[in-house]
Amino acid sequence: MSSKSKALPKGISAAEFDKVVRELRAIVGDEHVLVDEEKLSAYRKIMMPVPDAQHELSASVTPDGVEQIQRVMKVANKYRVPLYPISTGKNIGYGSAAPVQRGQIVLDLRRMNRIIEVDPELCTALVEPGVTYQQLYDYLQEHKLPLWFSCPAPSAIAGPVGNMVDRGVGYTPYGEHFMFSCGMEVVLANGDVLRTGMGAMENSNTWQVFKWGYGPTLDGMFTQSNYGVVTKMGMWLMPAPPDFRPFCIQYPDEADITKIVEALRPLRIAMVIPNAVVIAHTLWEAPCTPVKRADYFTGPGAIPDEAVKKIQADHDIGAWNVYAGLYGTKETNDANWKIIEAVAAATGGKIVTQEQSKGSQALEYRFDLMKGKPNLGEFGLYNWRGGGGSIWFAPVSQAKGAETLKQMQMAKTILGKYGFDYVGEFIVGWRDMHHVIDLLYDRSDETQMKNAYACYDELLHTFAKEGYGMYRANTAFAEKVAATYGPVKRDVEKRLKKALDPNNIIAPGRCGISL
């Protein structure tokens, strides 16, 4: 096999592609344009239930700033070559760094890794796409700034821009990441640079403090879309509270999910509990404990309920494990703690405090996340079954107990049909819940690959028929998920794409949007 990439962009000959590569190298330098298959291997590490070739890239280009991106855009428009922007490429459960369509050039923004500004008085930051949560955390620690941020679970290697653009969530009171962003810089397909909100004004000093500016608010257009390349993002940071009191409440039975949600929803809406509440199932917690599936079950099909019960008993894990925290002064937290104790007692839950969590990997990584400390604790999930296959199914639910129980039962039935385990958690926003299910399987087993695809497909369409939409989607299913949202929305998205990117060069197919 030749060392040169064979996944050419659609409609581009090998000779034309060579011209593209030469022109890109003239912009960013030879070492920052990769075409050799061996050097591109890092972009190919997908966990999706489809052959690697379907999402094979043709090359990667790594600019170091806006001016280089503008010049790259000119080349892409000239040759009609599609670019697939990534920040850190660690969107693992949803598709990693793999482009939606075969042959796209990955526009890798990792060299743009500058923390441009942190304002300790207004509690804001302005960062580039290559900045990781760990890098930002280290910056705050180094400068002794008492500021926290919200981050997703596999946060140490992920970054705030990429997570916000995909509308990810975290675990502090600032956990709705897009909501707590403020001001974007975007390079459009024609090379124009747009600053949203107050950033459109020359010499603005309110870009990171007032989201809206004047006229239509455009920021949302550049999340879960392919209308531009986000090159800077403002984000609000949280002052470290005088008193932080994380806790876990463990419940013994799966059916307890109904009363858990009914008891916690009023506290979340009233902001007694100010952060996103996580309700994690046994099999989400077990791999992070760590426990391996093979220690309890090696037969065909989904792991039986009696094995799950034994895991709970052996490792002191609840059927559901509720994670939340109190943030405030000692006085306010003392008062609210009495409410938490009363709720736990009334619903049959057992409270585990931070002091009681010492030595528990699963508890400690959760409590760290609730104060914005990046870690990789949740990667224990991938040791549960092994085999390198993982796709995240993420429907939205109302924060009502009956709805939550219904979704869990639907998911368990479909997963079991294909021989997969229910590894799930609910994340309570304010009035909604993100139901995140990690479908884990063995990519080296062709039957499991086919079953995983069919299982995800059935989950998607069964949930859609019940009115449950996905809030994020695996790259392999972008088109199918987009189709569940109906023709009018898709037509508007297509018209916007045509207006902003008439040559269809920015990530065609991302989130189902293309010409």
Side-chain angles (χ1 to χ4, degrees), residues 162-290:
N163 187 265
M164 183 282 297
V165 166
D166 211 42
R167 295 206 296 273
V169 296
Y171 306 97
T172 76
Y174 285 32
E176 191 67 64
H177 293 163
F178 176 53
M179 185 181 298
F180 289 94
S181 67
C182 189
M184 295 181 194
E185 178 184 83
V186 185
V187 178
L188 302 176
N190 67 356
D192 285 349
V193 177
L194 168 69
R195 289 190 169 186
T196 64
M198 302 302 288
M201 287 192 66
E202 190 174 351
N203 299 322
S204 171
N205 66 357
T206 52
W207 191 20
Q208 270 67 69
V209 296
F210 184 66
K211 295 167 71 76
W212 315 120
Y214 179 75
T217 300
L218 303 175
D219 301 63
M221 284 177 51
F222 301 103
T223 66
Q224 291 193 8
S225 74
N226 50 15
Y227 299 144
V229 179
V230 179
T231 52
K232 293 182 181 67
M233 182 193 77
M235 57 189 294
W236 290 341
L237 305 174
M238 173 183 167
D243 186 56
F244 168 55
R245 212 169 297 185
F247 59 90
C248 174
I249 310 176
Q250 296 177 333
Y251 290 85
D253 299 311
E254 284 188 349
D256 289 337
I257 189 69
T258 301
K259 60 184 179 183
I260 294 169
V261 175
E262 291 303 309
L264 293 177
R265 181 186 63 247
L267 304 184
R268 183 70 187 95
I269 291 175
M271 297 292 284
V272 172
I273 297 176
N275 67 323
V277 177
V278 175
I279 308 172
H281 186 265
T282 304
L283 297 188
W284 194 287
E285 297 303 279
C288 304
T289 297

Side-chain angles (χ1 to χ4, degrees), residues 443-454:
R443 286 193 93 239
S444 68
D445 184 320
E446 187 175 343
T447 299
Q448 282 198 35
M449 279 271 283
K450 291 179 179 177
N451 285 346
Y453 188 95

Side-chain angles (χ1 to χ4, degrees), residues 36 59 307:
D36 290 351

Side-chain angles (χ1 to χ4, degrees), residues 366-446:
R366 291 283 191 182
F367 290 174
D368 279 347
L369 286 176
M370 284 192 273
K371 61 181 179 182
K373 184 178 180 181
N375 63 75
L376 297 175
E378 199 158 278
F379 277 99
L381 283 167
Y382 300 127
N383 296 323
W384 171 244
R385 190 161 194 157
S390 169
I391 40 176
W392 288 19
F393 179 71
V396 175
S397 166
Q398 294 180 345
K400 291 183 177 179
E403 289 287 291
T404 310
L405 182 62
K406 177 183 174 183
Q407 281 206 7
M408 182 200 69
Q409 291 172 338
M410 286 170 57
K412 284 191 72 173
T413 299
I414 296 170
L415 288 159
K417 173 182 173 181
Y418 293 93
F420 299 118
D421 306 328
Y422 175 77
V423 181
E425 66 178 5
F426 290 90
I427 305 172
V428 186
W430 268 291
R431 294 157 178 83
D432 69 281
M433 305 183 80
H434 293 169
H435 185 187
V436 182
I437 299 166
D438 196 351
L439 200 168
L440 297 163
Y441 65 99
D442 186 347
R443 286 193 93 239
S444 68
D445 184 320
E446 187 175 343

Side-chain angles (χ1 to χ4, degrees), residues 246-250 285 320-324 337 350-354 363 367 370:
F247 59 90
C248 174
I249 310 176
Q250 296 177 333
E285 297 303 279
W320 295 105
N321 306 271
V322 177
Y323 293 97
W337 185 251
K350 181 184 76 172
I351 294 179
V352 182
T353 65
Q354 187 167 23
L363 289 166
F367 290 174
M370 284 192 273

Side-chain angles (χ1 to χ4, degrees), residues 447-462:
T447 299
Q448 282 198 35
M449 279 271 283
K450 291 179 179 177
N451 285 346
Y453 188 95
C455 182
Y456 194 102
D457 193 71
E458 185 169 339
L459 284 166
L460 169 61
H461 290 99
T462 302

